Amino acid sequence: MFGKGKEWTGVDELDSAILRELQADARLTNRELAARLGLAPSSCLVRTRALRERGVLTGFHGQVDLAKIGRSVQALIAFTVRPLSRDVIRGFQTFALQQPEVIAVFVLGGSDDFLVHVAVPTISDMHAMLVDRFSKRREVVGFRTSIVYEHVRQLSIDPAPAD
Amino acid sequence: MFGKGKEWTGVDELDSAILRELQADARLTNRELAARLGLAPSSCLVRTRALRERGVLTGFHGQVDLAKIGRSVQALIAFTVRPLSRDVIRGFQTFALQQPEVIAVFVLGGSDDFLVHVAVPTISDMHAMLVDRFSKRREVVGFRTSIVYEHVRQLSIDPAPAD
DNA sequence: ATTGAAACGAACGATGG
DNA sequence: CCATCGTTCGTTTCAAT
């Protein structure tokens, strides 16, 4: 009927514009945002708040340059874990997120079970992390490491076009 | 000598705390941030500005719930491209980032050359994107798609501990 | 839904401790 | 680094449309 699944929440052109601007710069003042949309600050505030309350906007986060905080080496590590039960998945995920080197964890379907994005000062820190902590976990039956030379994110993700 | 490579920029405990708070909530007011650190607002402002000017803090970004903007299906796609020249790498990366489904691109070393994170409304949109656009590129010699069931990011990344 | 006006709070530069 | 003042600017509420 709507073609977007049950999570679809009406987001009109104005909402989209708000999302676009705030994804690009979370510190835009409400006045400036309103001015860019040709809206009164009060109306703009109502819409932005509604987007947060509906859970469309989930948060605002500062970004740091990893190299400048002493984490120049990035990698993606694909893990296979066994047995593939809910408990094991949850346990590994929790463990991974507790490691200070870990930036993000993807839970996957396909040939690998997890992809873990890490940032460390040097290659030997990565080796130490893998052999001393990750491969000591009993559920880990294998992993493959790929160095990340570059990581670029989209400045802003648009809502999917209406069908 | 310093063990952190040439990008190392002195970040003390107070700076770390600022980075931690602003990664978790980019919209903290300077006053509130200062209060949490037990610092005067004026001093806090000086430090936060310095972190931006030194490029340690690179930006502030709003986050959206992908499902709520009609992009419920996420995947990671590993691409192999040939020949592996600078121009080809740059060209593919630029192309990928222009696709509205693409959230992020990783340039890799190892068995795959790129990892592309995408979010689409449905599986058939993903299929269409791959066959109609990505696999038409001459440099693409192969790819593997893994579904993303979950994607969790660390709330805050700490500076690497001093050696 | 959107608005304007008014009250409140925050940012910021300057000064001096 | 802290404190305070003063100006400017932003936020938020609310009655009205």
Side-chain angles (χ1 to χ4, degrees), chain A residues 114-150:
Chain A
F114 287 94
L115 198 78
V116 179
H117 182 194
V118 302
V120 291
T122 67
I123 279 281
S124 36
D125 295 304
M126 183 131 70
H127 190 224
M129 174 192 81
L130 284 168
V131 303
D132 296 340
R133 284 178 273 142
F134 278 91
S135 53
K136 290 221 167 110
R137 305 270 312 176
R138 305 195 43 147
E139 72 269 39
V140 170
V141 301
F143 59 86
R144 282 177 305 117
T145 303
S146 301
I147 287 290
V148 173
Y149 292 129
E150 207 173 340

Coordinates of all heavy atoms in Angstrom, one line a residue, chain A residues 114-150:
Chain A
F114 N 30.3 -10.9 11.5 CA 30.4 -9.5 12.0 C 31.5 -8.8 11.1 O 32.4 -9.4 10.7 CB 31.0 -9.5 13.4 CG 30.0 -9.9 14.4 CD1 29.9 -11.2 14.9 CD2 29.1 -9.0 15.0 CE1 29.0 -11.6 15.8 CE2 28.2 -9.3 16.0 CZ 28.1 -10.7 16.4
L115 N 31.3 -7.5 11.1 CA 32.4 -6.6 10.5 C 32.6 -5.6 11.6 O 31.7 -4.9 12.0 CB 32.0 -6.0 9.2 CG 33.2 -5.5 8.4 CD1 33.9 -6.7 7.8 CD2 32.8 -4.5 7.4
V116 N 33.9 -5.5 12.0 CA 34.2 -4.6 13.1 C 35.2 -3.5 12.6 O 36.2 -3.9 12.0 CB 34.8 -5.4 14.3 CG1 35.2 -4.4 15.4 CG2 33.9 -6.4 14.8
H117 N 34.8 -2.3 12.7 CA 35.7 -1.2 12.3 C 36.5 -0.7 13.5 O 35.9 -0.3 14.5 CB 34.7 -0.1 11.7 CG 35.5 1.1 11.2 ND1 34.8 2.3 10.9 CD2 36.8 1.3 10.8 CE1 35.7 3.2 10.4 NE2 36.9 2.6 10.4
V118 N 37.8 -0.7 13.3 CA 38.7 -0.3 14.4 C 39.7 0.8 14.0 O 39.9 1.0 12.8 CB 39.5 -1.5 15.0 CG1 38.6 -2.6 15.4 CG2 40.5 -2.0 13.9
A119 N 40.2 1.5 15.0 CA 41.2 2.6 14.7 C 42.2 2.5 15.9 O 41.8 2.6 17.0 CB 40.6 3.9 14.7
V120 N 43.5 2.3 15.5 CA 44.5 2.1 16.5 C 45.7 3.0 16.1 O 45.8 3.5 15.0 CB 45.0 0.6 16.5 CG1 44.0 -0.3 17.0 CG2 45.4 0.2 15.1
P121 N 46.6 3.2 17.1 CA 47.8 4.0 16.8 C 48.7 3.4 15.8 O 49.2 4.1 14.9 CB 48.5 4.1 18.2 CG 47.4 3.9 19.2 CD 46.5 2.9 18.6
T122 N 49.0 2.2 15.9 CA 50.0 1.5 15.0 C 49.5 0.1 14.7 O 48.7 -0.5 15.4 CB 51.4 1.4 15.6 OG1 51.3 0.5 16.7 CG2 51.9 2.8 16.2
I123 N 50.1 -0.4 13.6 CA 49.8 -1.8 13.2 C 50.1 -2.8 14.4 O 49.3 -3.7 14.5 CB 50.7 -2.2 12.0 CG1 50.0 -1.6 10.8 CG2 50.8 -3.7 11.8 CD1 48.8 -2.4 10.3
S124 N 51.1 -2.5 15.2 CA 51.3 -3.5 16.2 C 50.3 -3.5 17.3 O 50.0 -4.5 17.9 CB 52.8 -3.5 16.8 OG 53.2 -2.2 16.9
D125 N 49.7 -2.3 17.5 CA 48.6 -2.3 18.4 C 47.4 -3.1 17.9 O 46.7 -3.7 18.7 CB 48.1 -0.8 18.6 CG 49.1 0.0 19.3 OD1 49.6 -0.4 20.4 OD2 49.5 1.1 18.8
M126 N 47.3 -3.1 16.6 CA 46.2 -3.9 16.0 C 46.5 -5.4 16.2 O 45.6 -6.1 16.6 CB 46.0 -3.6 14.5 CG 44.9 -4.4 14.0 SD 43.9 -3.4 13.0 CE 45.0 -3.1 11.7
H127 N 47.7 -5.8 16.0 CA 48.0 -7.2 16.1 C 47.8 -7.6 17.6 O 47.2 -8.6 17.9 CB 49.5 -7.4 15.7 CG 49.9 -8.8 15.6 ND1 51.1 -9.3 16.1 CD2 49.3 -9.9 15.1 CE1 51.2 -10.6 15.9 NE2 50.1 -11.0 15.3
A128 N 48.3 -6.7 18.5 CA 48.1 -7.1 19.9 C 46.6 -7.2 20.3 O 46.2 -8.1 21.0 CB 48.8 -6.0 20.8
M129 N 45.8 -6.3 19.8 CA 44.4 -6.3 20.1 C 43.8 -7.7 19.6 O 43.0 -8.3 20.3 CB 43.7 -5.2 19.4 CG 42.2 -5.2 19.5 SD 41.5 -3.9 18.4 CE 41.5 -4.9 16.8
L130 N 44.2 -8.1 18.4 CA 43.6 -9.3 17.8 C 44.1 -10.5 18.5 O 43.2 -11.3 18.9 CB 44.0 -9.4 16.3 CG 43.1 -8.4 15.4 CD1 43.7 -8.3 14.0 CD2 41.7 -8.9 15.4
V131 N 45.4 -10.7 18.7 CA 45.8 -11.9 19.4 C 45.5 -12.0 20.9 O 45.2 -13.0 21.4 CB 47.3 -12.2 19.0 CG1 47.5 -12.3 17.5 CG2 48.2 -11.2 19.7
D132 N 45.6 -10.8 21.5 CA 45.5 -10.8 23.0 C 44.0 -10.8 23.4 O 43.7 -11.3 24.5 CB 46.2 -9.7 23.7 CG 47.7 -9.7 23.5 OD1 48.2 -10.8 23.2 OD2 48.4 -8.7 23.6
R133 N 43.1 -10.2 22.6 CA 41.8 -10.1 23.1 C 40.8 -10.8 22.2 O 40.0 -11.7 22.6 CB 41.4 -8.7 23.3 CG 42.0 -8.1 24.6 CD 41.7 -6.7 24.8 NE 42.7 -5.8 24.1 CZ 42.4 -4.7 23.5 NH1 41.2 -4.2 23.5 NH2 43.4 -4.0 22.9
F134 N 40.7 -10.5 20.9 CA 39.7 -11.0 20.1 C 39.9 -12.5 19.8 O 38.9 -13.3 20.0 CB 39.6 -10.3 18.7 CG 38.8 -9.0 18.8 CD1 39.5 -7.8 19.1 CD2 37.5 -9.0 18.6 CE1 38.7 -6.6 19.1 CE2 36.7 -7.8 18.7 CZ 37.4 -6.6 18.9
S135 N 41.1 -13.0 19.5 CA 41.1 -14.4 19.2 C 41.2 -15.3 20.4 O 41.1 -16.5 20.3 CB 42.3 -14.7 18.2 OG 43.5 -14.2 18.7
K136 N 41.2 -14.7 21.6 CA 41.0 -15.5 22.8 C 39.5 -15.8 23.1 O 39.2 -16.7 23.9 CB 41.6 -14.7 24.0 CG 43.1 -14.6 24.0 CD 43.7 -14.8 25.4 CE 45.2 -15.0 25.3 NZ 46.0 -13.9 25.9
R137 N 38.6 -15.1 22.4 CA 37.2 -15.4 22.6 C 36.9 -16.8 22.0 O 37.2 -17.1 20.9 CB 36.3 -14.4 21.9 CG 36.6 -13.0 22.3 CD 35.8 -12.5 23.5 NE 34.4 -12.7 23.4 CZ 33.6 -12.4 24.4 NH1 34.0 -11.8 25.5 NH2 32.3 -12.7 24.3
R138 N 36.2 -17.6 22.8 CA 35.9 -19.0 22.3 C 35.0 -19.0 21.1 O 35.0 -20.0 20.3 CB 35.3 -19.8 23.4 CG 36.2 -19.8 24.7 CD 35.7 -20.9 25.6 NE 35.4 -22.0 24.8 CZ 35.6 -23.3 25.3 NH1 36.0 -23.5 26.5 NH2 35.3 -24.3 24.5
E139 N 34.1 -18.1 21.0 CA 33.2 -18.1 19.9 C 33.8 -17.7 18.5 O 33.3 -18.0 17.5 CB 32.0 -17.2 20.1 CG 32.2 -15.7 20.1 CD 32.6 -15.1 21.4 OE1 33.4 -15.8 22.2 OE2 32.2 -14.0 21.7
V140 N 35.0 -17.1 18.6 CA 35.6 -16.6 17.3 C 36.3 -17.8 16.6 O 37.3 -18.4 17.2 CB 36.7 -15.5 17.6 CG1 37.5 -15.2 16.4 CG2 36.0 -14.3 18.1
V141 N 35.8 -18.2 15.5 CA 36.5 -19.3 14.7 C 37.3 -18.8 13.6 O 38.1 -19.6 13.0 CB 35.4 -20.3 14.3 CG1 34.7 -20.9 15.5 CG2 34.5 -19.8 13.2
G142 N 37.3 -17.5 13.3 CA 38.1 -17.0 12.2 C 37.9 -15.5 12.0 O 36.9 -15.0 12.3
F143 N 38.9 -14.9 11.4 CA 38.7 -13.5 11.0 C 39.7 -13.1 9.9 O 40.7 -13.8 9.7 CB 38.9 -12.5 12.2 CG 40.2 -12.6 12.9 CD1 41.3 -11.9 12.4 CD2 40.4 -13.4 14.0 CE1 42.5 -11.9 13.0 CE2 41.7 -13.5 14.6 CZ 42.7 -12.8 14.1
R144 N 39.3 -12.1 9.2 CA 40.1 -11.5 8.1 C 40.2 -10.0 8.3 O 39.2 -9.4 8.5 CB 39.5 -11.8 6.7 CG 39.6 -13.2 6.2 CD 38.9 -13.3 4.8 NE 37.5 -13.0 5.0 CZ 36.9 -11.9 4.4 NH1 37.6 -11.2 3.5 NH2 35.7 -11.7 4.6
T145 N 41.4 -9.5 8.2 CA 41.6 -8.1 8.4 C 41.9 -7.3 7.1 O 42.7 -7.8 6.3 CB 42.8 -7.9 9.3 OG1 42.6 -8.6 10.5 CG2 43.0 -6.4 9.7
S146 N 41.2 -6.2 6.9 CA 41.5 -5.4 5.7 C 41.9 -4.0 6.2 O 41.1 -3.4 7.0 CB 40.3 -5.2 4.8 OG 39.9 -6.5 4.3
I147 N 43.0 -3.5 5.7 CA 43.3 -2.1 6.1 C 42.4 -1.1 5.4 O 42.0 -1.3 4.3 CB 44.8 -1.9 5.6 CG1 45.8 -2.6 6.5 CG2 45.1 -0.4 5.6 CD1 45.9 -2.0 7.9
V148 N 42.1 -0.1 6.1 CA 41.2 1.0 5.5 C 42.2 2.2 5.2 O 42.8 2.8 6.1 CB 40.2 1.5 6.5 CG1 39.4 2.7 6.0 CG2 39.2 0.4 6.9
Y149 N 42.2 2.5 3.9 CA 43.1 3.6 3.5 C 42.3 4.9 3.6 O 42.9 6.0 3.8 CB 43.5 3.4 2.0 CG 44.5 2.3 1.9 CD1 44.3 1.3 0.9 CD2 45.6 2.2 2.7 CE1 45.2 0.2 0.8 CE2 46.5 1.1 2.6 CZ 46.3 0.2 1.7 OH 47.2 -0.9 1.5
E150 N 41.0 4.8 3.4 CA 40.2 6.0 3.4 C 38.8 5.6 3.7 O 38.3 4.5 3.4 CB 40.2 6.6 2.0 CG 40.0 8.1 2.0 CD 40.2 8.7 0.6 OE1 40.9 8.1 -0.3 OE2 39.7 9.8 0.4

